[in-house]
Amino acid sequence: MSKQFDVVVIGGGPGGYIAAIRAAQLGLSAACIDEWKNAAGDPAPGGTCTNVGCIPSKALLQSSENYDQAAHHFADHGIGIGELSLDLKKLIARKDAVVKQNNDGILYLFKKNKVAFFHGRGSFVKAVDGGYEIAVAGAADETLHARQVIVATGSSPRQLPGVPFDEERILSNDGALRIAGVPKTLGVIGSGVIGLEMGSVWRRLGAEVTILEALPGLLGAADEAVAREALKLFTKQGLKLQFGVNITGVKVAKKGVTVAYTDAKGAAATLEVERLIVSIGRVPHTTGLNPEAVGLKLDERGAIVVDDECRTNLAGVWAVGDVVRGPMLAHKAEEEGVAVAERIAGQHGHVDFNTVPWVIYTSPEIAWVGQTEAQLKAAGRAVKTGQFPFMANGRARALGDTSGFVKFVADAQTDEILGVHIIGPFASELIAEAVVAMSFKASAEDIARICHAHPSLSEATKEAALAVDKRTLNL
Ligand code: FAD
Ligand code: NAI
């Protein structure tokens, strides 16, 4: 006998667990199947984000930033700490504890919202009785049936052809989050978000980090002014970045890894490192889902094909998050999960893809929302810009962190904000104001006229908005 639900969600990452909770809030009977296990073999819902992504990487970024501050910046405040030491085992254990708190939090939320949780692998069996039969293979095998199925099976790291991850020498994001000792030398292939974040963690803890990137420059998706500033600051911090490289071979030995490549000028070169992180993007994950059983359509990348509202080619089957098109971000997955649950319940869920913020948690942080100046100009749009440096912001001076700036890009005629680009302290928090402003179709003048607390970093946002009209007050 199969267990009946209104909605079965396959995958308990941010897309899936949030969709299940929202469906339950709306009065639907909801189940969520997730197969992630922690080291003890216990259920660990939360997906990539909670287990080997957003949460653990931010825990390590914070710990390593604290270490870097103690090593290099406390003295500026007149604070002496004698000899600095690092207990890497404890630092990693703290990260694991933060992950566990989040896993347990999700299990609690399932109980609170009456979502039935099944630990195991979910796969399509057949279309039957106007819905779908889903098998769960886990500690106890189960068969579920629902008229509505939400697939949220996420993504996995892309490997370099012929160079499998062993998590010892060749590390994916998983291995990069639990290196047992700080390596003397660390190579990173790909200067995207993971390369920059994980490269920063291990550089701060003492590794010599070299990042090899295929593209000719840093952060092609960011505003050019931000990418230029980031390159300047990261290089000054000691990250070694090489662009325009072509990896020609990777050899793993007992004590290290040799990467052969050609540089931007086409000259052959090698890099010898103790360990190598490969962070060259992620691929949609549908292993074990058995989409063929019901004829669920995938594209050539292996992503589940969906329309703007996350409908697949099958009636009653939806897909959200990393396993579908669009940016691979936890908050994008969550928004899609909520919108789909609301659509199933007959409401009009909506995701505005133009106001999905991006954040890179380096130091300084980088965050943006909307389009870049170059993208808008290439599309023939007349724009005006305003920029304000944290150097001229009182709170940033008090923090001792004055790198970077806030930049606004607004429509030349209507003044509507089309993009906000920040590099600087707490950019991850500051970007929220820009997201709200763009969601309400605000103009730069709207932000310029709003009272911002003093002294606060958000005053740099107001000043950048004033700069659009060439009337900054503090510069
Ligand atoms: P996932 O989180 O991948 O969850 C999918 C879940 O489904 C997993 O638990 C998986 O085990 C389970 N599953 C898969 N197939 C089955 C099956 N057949 N049966 C049962 N269960 C199954 N994004 C941000 O927004 N901010 C960040 O700071 C950030 N940092 C990141 C750092 C790193 C190192 C990485 C790798 C990613 C980071 N991301 C970040 C991206 C973010 O983790 C993903 O966008 C997000 O996790 C996608 O959510 P999802 O629900 O689509 O998939
Ligand atoms: P990415 O797409 O951000 O960056 C991959 C980089 O690798 C690109 O710059 C690409 O040009 C380069 N590259 C690809 N193939 C290469 C090759 N053969 N040789 C050298 N360079 C090569 O992917 P990444 O860093 O793996 O992260 C995956 C995704 O996870 C991100 O796109 C993002 O969606 C998500 N993520 C989000 C974070 C956040 O929001 N703060 C943090 C970490 C990951």
Side-chain angles (χ1 to χ4, degrees):
M1 255 307 268
S2 58
K3 292 187 172 157
Q4 293 287 329
F5 293 94
D6 294 328
V7 184
V8 166
V9 183
I10 308 177
Y17 90 79
I18 288 289
I21 289 174
R22 185 70 188 121
Q25 281 178 348
L26 291 164
L28 299 161
S29 64
C32 183
I33 310 168
D34 187 80
E35 65 179 343
W36 207 294
K37 285 187 189 120
N38 63 19
D42 296 327
T48 301
C49 170
T50 302
N51 292 292
V52 290
C54 324
I55 300 299
S57 62
K58 266 79 258 182
L60 292 189
L61 278 155
Q62 187 60 49
S63 297
S64 60
E65 179 63 15
N66 290 351
Y67 182 75
D68 190 71
Q69 288 287 329
H72 304 294
H73 304 290
F74 276 13
D76 300 342
H77 296 260
I79 303 170
I81 45 168
E83 204 181 325
L84 187 64
S85 67
L86 176 68
D87 183 344
L88 185 62
K89 218 168 154 192
K90 190 163 178 186
L91 188 152
I92 301 274
R94 174 188 177 274
K95 176 260 300 178
D96 292 339
V98 172
V99 167
K100 177 93 174 39
Q101 282 166 11
N102 282 271
N103 297 140
D104 292 347
I106 295 166
L107 289 169
Y108 161 78
L109 290 170
F110 281 159
K111 271 211 183 98
K112 180 181 159 203
N113 289 283
K114 302 194 172 50
V115 172
F117 174 63
F118 294 90
H119 189 220
R121 172 168 286 186
S123 50
F124 282 105
V125 180
K126 60 184 176 202
V128 60
D129 296 338
Y132 300 87
E133 197 172 289
I134 312 285
V136 185
D141 291 351
E142 304 266 6
T143 307
L144 315 184
H145 181 272
R147 280 178 183 273
Q148 304 285 339
V149 178
I150 304 175
V151 180
T153 47
S155 64
S156 19
R158 188 153 80 88
Q159 68 169 56
L160 268 176
V163 190
F165 296 112
D166 59 16
E167 307 300 0
E168 253 309 301
R169 296 284 159 202
I170 308 291
L171 312 174
S172 71
N173 54 293
D174 181 7
L177 289 160
R178 52 184 171 88
I179 306 178
V182 178
K184 251 180 116 110
T185 51
L186 176 69
V188 179
I189 302 194
S191 66
V193 202
I194 295 181
L196 289 174
E197 290 188 357
M198 295 316 299
S200 296
V201 164
W202 294 105
R203 181 200 59 73
R204 291 171 194 164
L205 297 179
E208 186 185 313
V209 178
T210 306
I211 305 185
L212 302 177
E213 166 61 47
L215 292 176
L218 187 65
L219 293 175
D223 189 86
E224 279 174 16
V226 168
R228 255 196 320 272
E229 182 77 0
L231 180 60
K232 195 177 82 192
L233 293 168
F234 296 156
T235 306
K236 202 169 146 207
Q237 289 168 2
L239 271 186
K240 293 184 179 160
L241 285 143
Q242 289 193 42
F243 299 102
V245 309
N246 181 24
I247 309 294
T248 52
V250 174
K251 245 201 213 129
V252 183
K254 220 169 167 191
K255 290 218 160 130
V257 183
T258 308
V259 184
Y261 62 99
T262 54
D263 67 15
K265 291 188 182 131
T270 53
L271 174 71
E272 307 266 350
V273 284
E274 273 181 38
R275 292 174 200 268
L276 182 71
I277 298 175
V278 177
S279 47
I280 56 170
R282 296 179 62 82
V283 290
H285 176 96
T286 51
T287 313
L289 180 66
N290 203 17
E292 312 80 35
V294 286
L296 180 63
K297 200 165 152 197
L298 311 187
D299 68 14
E300 63 288 347
R301 287 171 49 246
I304 296 175
V305 178
V306 289
D307 67 7
D308 287 351
E309 299 201 320
C310 297
R311 285 186 178 82
T312 68
N313 64 312
L314 302 175
V317 180
W318 311 72
V320 302
D322 281 12
V323 77
V324 305
R325 45 80 195 118
M328 289 186 170
L329 296 173
H331 42 284
K332 175 263 191 187
E334 289 184 15
E335 292 302 309
E336 286 183 333
V338 167
V340 165
E342 291 178 350
R343 284 171 198 138
I344 289 173
Q347 298 187 352
H348 299 280
H350 177 67
V351 182
D352 180 357
F353 289 100
N354 194 41
T355 55
V356 174
W358 274 87
V359 178
I360 307 176
Y361 294 82
T362 43
S363 178
E365 292 180 347
I366 296 170
W368 72 86
V369 57
Q371 289 180 278
T372 67
E373 184 179 353
Q375 280 167 346
L376 289 159
K377 283 186 172 160
R381 190 113 185 219
V383 296
K384 48 188 181 172
T385 64
Q387 197 167 311
F388 189 83
F390 285 105
M391 186 72 87
N393 174 274
R395 183 76 196 283
R397 288 192 196 121
L399 278 174
D401 192 354
T402 52
S403 53
F405 54 81
V406 180
K407 174 176 172 178
F408 270 63
V409 189
D411 185 277
Q413 273 81 46
T414 65
D415 197 37
E416 181 183 345
I417 303 166
L418 302 174
V420 176
H421 307 272
I422 307 176
I423 176 166
F426 296 102
S428 56
E429 302 297 332
L430 294 174
I431 200 66
E433 178 179 11
V435 176
V436 172
M438 284 187 62
S439 299
F440 286 101
K441 305 251 176 272
S443 64
E445 188 185 351
D446 288 330
I447 298 297
R449 287 188 177 279
I450 289 171
C451 182
H452 289 66
H454 176 77
S456 72
L457 296 169
S458 70
E459 287 173 292
T461 306
K462 177 185 171 109
E463 289 276 4
L466 281 164
V468 172
D469 200 28
K470 299 194 173 37
R471 54 187 189 94
T472 53
L473 295 164
N474 284 286
L475 189 68

